[in-house]
Amino acid sequence: MGSDLYDVHVERWTAAPLDEILTSAVNQGLSAELTRACVRRGGEGDVAIEIDLYIHQIHPDAPIGELTAAYMAMTLQAADHASRGPGSLPERMEAHFGGFDRINSHEFAPGLDDACFAFSLLARGVAEGSPDDYDSDDPDVVAPPEEWARVRVWLAEPLGRTLKGAHWRSRAWSGFTGKLWSNHFPPAGPLAHLGEPRTFTPFPSNAGKQAFISDITLSDDQLVSIDEDGGVVVSLDRESGEERWRKADLTEGRYGETVAFAPEGTRLYIAAAHGWLGSTNAQGEDLRRFPDGASLCRLKVGSDGSLFEIQVYHGGADGPTEPGKVWLRDGTTGARARLVAEHRVTPSKASDDAAIAYHAFAARTPMGASVTSAGDLVVWDREGERARAQLPAGQVVGLALSPDGAMAYATTHDARLLAWDVAQGRLAWEHLVKRRAHGIMPVAMSPDGSTLVLGDNDLGKLRFVDVGRRAEVLLMDALPGSPRYLNLAPSFTPRGDALCVPIDQKVVCLWPLS
């Protein structure tokens, strides 16, 4: 097999007036201004070209990564490498991009202000690998899966005229940078206001001993975290990062589970191991013990201020004796008011114990959702269950809920993002995040409903998905120069003024969104 990485051909080629081309781009989610500027950089005239490319991986070590402007520039440049006449595609590309090596495209990443074309991802997927692509005498050789993508490209007529019916091999390679915009989409929603992060370390390493963050919660002026090993609760100032108060004995030394502020920030709800539950005021004082909860449980607050006990499971040393449940609790006394949801064992999963793996709350309506790793999804409110579903096969590793509670978003162990229509009880769409994946991939929904943030623990990066476009628009380092294999748990503040990401249970990154 040669060094070519991708097989590319033009499935559809259309020449049309520029205004029609701009309308088509707008229908795919791009702005008319962005598209016009990109097309004009490739040549003048009232006619422009729209093409649909099919890109297929033909090298086992070159999955189709992020479809950046650099990647697409190299793919298009390779189409006409045999033609060296005036105005040929490679020379025009080099003129606009400064003449860079078309093989090492990851070394040069043109941005939205440089590209002489606009593009949008239409679809992507995985196909069975072909043994014919391998120089092997073994008739039983099994080729690995191959990724493919369909991309729509808009460019000037001088650049696009030679691409009609074109078929070529490309060596374009898509590399990663600290902040990498995908699919040529300009920032929208919270991404348009993504500021520089601030970092907080609630539990600094002491004499070689590292305490680990179990959970965090934010009010308007505080960031409060609880230590996993000893239940120590620490409050830091959101602006300065200075410590406000520290309580080492609230949970009587039990392992910390969760902390959650009431919406007005006046009460702090705390859960620790073996069902320890209680609340304090915003200064960590006035401790009120609640009746014990399940052996493994969490206290969380809905958008309307309702207090819920998320019973992950209840049991003893021999394992769970009760499945995952959700209880409504009185916010003052902490007493259980009613059972609002109960999970069921999935018959097809022999090892399923119906424990709650993930839960989420809607930002603008008093609804919540919980799911088992086997995919038993329940949507509920303070009155009881609202909907129930069995998500498609695949271990669930993350859950988010749209602001109105109409859509549930789940990530799976095989790196799929599932969008579940709660009312219709069906899969609305799904997105293949990447091909090679393992472990958890937490997901969070922005309060305005426009953006999902996924924690790619394998890469140590954050992935931002535009919900309306159903496409990934940004891949970003969790920390500058962060390594792979980080434990990331993104969440948005209830007001939507910040994105909060605990990293490896040691550091908290806070990105302002205003």
Side-chain angles (χ1 to χ4, degrees):
M1 185 174 86
S3 58
D4 291 322
L5 306 180
Y6 311 105
D7 184 79
V8 187
H9 71 267
V10 175
E11 292 187 314
R12 188 179 66 88
W13 182 97
T14 302
L18 179 58
D19 289 343
E20 292 184 16
I21 294 295
L22 296 181
T23 299
S24 175
V26 169
N27 290 337
Q28 289 296 319
L30 276 68
S31 73
E33 293 77 12
L34 169 69
T35 307
R36 183 189 298 275
C38 292
V39 171
R40 287 299 193 197
R41 292 188 196 107
E44 297 295 328
D46 296 328
V47 175
I49 304 298
E50 176 181 285
I51 60 173
D52 287 353
L53 292 182
Y54 178 77
I55 307 171
H56 192 102
Q57 173 194 353
I58 55 175
H59 192 293
D61 296 326
I64 299 174
E66 306 309 309
L67 298 178
T68 64
Y71 178 97
M72 291 305 303
M74 295 297 92
T75 299
L76 291 168
Q77 189 178 25
D80 197 29
H81 61 83
S83 172
R84 299 300 177 187
S88 68
L89 187 64
E91 293 180 4
R92 294 296 292 274
M93 289 288 181
E94 289 173 4
H96 282 285
F97 291 126
F100 52 91
D101 186 342
R102 69 168 175 266
I103 296 177
N104 296 319
S105 64
H106 61 278
E107 295 179 1
F108 183 88
L112 299 179
D113 295 333
D114 303 313
C116 51
F117 55 87
F119 70 99
S120 176
L121 176 68
L122 298 179
R124 69 185 304 167
V126 177
E128 291 185 4
S130 172
D132 295 338
D133 290 331
Y134 293 82
D135 296 327
S136 174
D137 296 328
D138 184 359
D140 297 323
V141 64
V142 177
E146 299 169 350
E147 291 188 354
W148 59 265
R150 282 186 168 88
V151 185
R152 183 159 295 168
V153 183
W154 299 271
L155 68 173
E157 195 273 339
L159 290 181
R161 67 163 69 108
T162 63
L163 294 176
K164 187 174 184 178
H167 184 191
W168 68 94
R169 294 290 176 96
S170 170
R171 298 179 185 179
W173 193 288
S174 176
F176 294 129
T177 62
K179 185 179 288 186
L180 189 149
W181 294 98
S182 304
N183 293 323
H184 226 289
F185 292 144
L191 296 183
H193 309 285
L194 191 65
E196 292 301 315
R198 299 193 304 274
T199 58
F200 302 81
T201 308
F203 305 106
S205 177
N206 185 12
K209 181 177 173 39
Q210 175 69 57
F212 293 96
I213 301 168
S214 178
D215 193 27
I216 60 171
T217 185
L218 289 96
S219 66
D220 289 343
D221 57 352
Q222 294 187 76
L223 185 152
V224 174
S225 56
I226 186 168
D227 166 33
E228 182 178 73
D229 294 333
V232 179
V233 182
V234 174
S235 168
L236 303 180
D237 187 277
R238 270 187 64 168
E239 293 300 321
S240 67
E242 295 180 356
E243 184 175 305
R244 286 192 170 192
W245 52 264
R246 175 183 295 259
K247 303 293 180 182
D249 54 358
L250 284 178
T251 66
E252 302 167 7
R254 304 191 192 196
Y255 293 153
E257 291 291 346
T258 58
V259 284
F261 270 117
E264 67 279 6
T266 56
R267 297 299 296 180
L268 177 68
Y269 299 105
I270 306 168
H274 309 300
W276 189 102
L277 304 175
S279 76
T280 70
N281 61 21
Q283 290 73 46
E285 306 288 349
D286 185 27
L287 174 64
R288 301 176 190 171
R289 276 298 313 273
F290 290 171
D292 283 354
S295 51
L296 180 56
C297 65
R298 295 160 182 150
L299 281 182
K300 288 296 177 180
V301 179
S303 61
D304 64 345
S306 297
L307 179 64
F308 295 94
E309 174 193 346
I310 310 296
Q311 174 181 311
V312 177
Y313 68 80
H314 187 64
D318 296 330
T321 57
E322 292 183 13
K325 298 179 180 179
V326 180
W327 300 87
L328 176 69
R329 283 197 174 238
D330 185 282
T332 303
T333 67
R336 283 179 173 174
R338 70 173 64 89
L339 177 67
V340 299
E342 182 172 0
H343 284 272
R344 304 168 185 164
V345 171
T346 303
S348 60
K349 305 286 185 179
S351 61
D352 182 30
D353 56 15
I356 293 176
Y358 301 94
H359 66 273
F361 287 94
R364 294 199 300 261
T365 191
M367 292 173 60
S370 49
V371 68
T372 67
S373 61
D376 181 46
L377 172 70
V378 182
V379 180
W380 36 265
D381 60 17
R382 58 179 291 122
E383 301 301 324
E385 293 185 9
R386 296 280 296 272
R388 178 182 288 273
Q390 178 62 47
L391 296 180
Q395 180 183 346
V396 175
V397 295
L399 180 68
L401 204 57
S402 65
D404 59 2
M407 298 289 293
Y409 299 93
T411 49
T412 65
H413 190 270
D414 56 355
R416 287 181 296 158
L417 172 63
L418 308 178
W420 188 265
D421 189 313
V422 173
Q424 298 294 325
R426 62 178 180 83
L427 185 66
W429 54 272
E430 74 174 86
H431 170 67
L432 178 66
V433 180
K434 59 181 184 176
R435 193 182 72 188
R436 297 183 178 92
H438 66 276
I440 64 173
M441 187 177 287
V443 58
M445 166 63 77
S446 64
D448 68 354
S450 68
T451 307
L452 289 164
V453 181
L454 286 66
D456 189 333
N457 293 2
D458 290 351
L459 293 178
K461 296 178 184 288
L462 299 172
R463 294 179 178 272
F464 294 75
V465 175
D466 187 296
V467 174
R469 296 160 177 161
R470 303 181 184 180
E472 187 172 317
V473 294
L474 174 63
L475 181 72
M476 184 175 72
D477 287 341
L479 280 174
S482 59
R484 296 164 62 100
Y485 310 118
L486 291 177
N487 182 4
L488 307 173
S491 64
F492 287 89
T493 56
R495 291 192 311 172
D497 62 342
L499 169 65
C500 186
V501 184
I503 300 174
D504 255 8
Q505 296 184 276
K506 300 173 185 176
V507 176
V508 179
C509 263
L510 199 65
W511 279 267
L513 297 175
S514 59

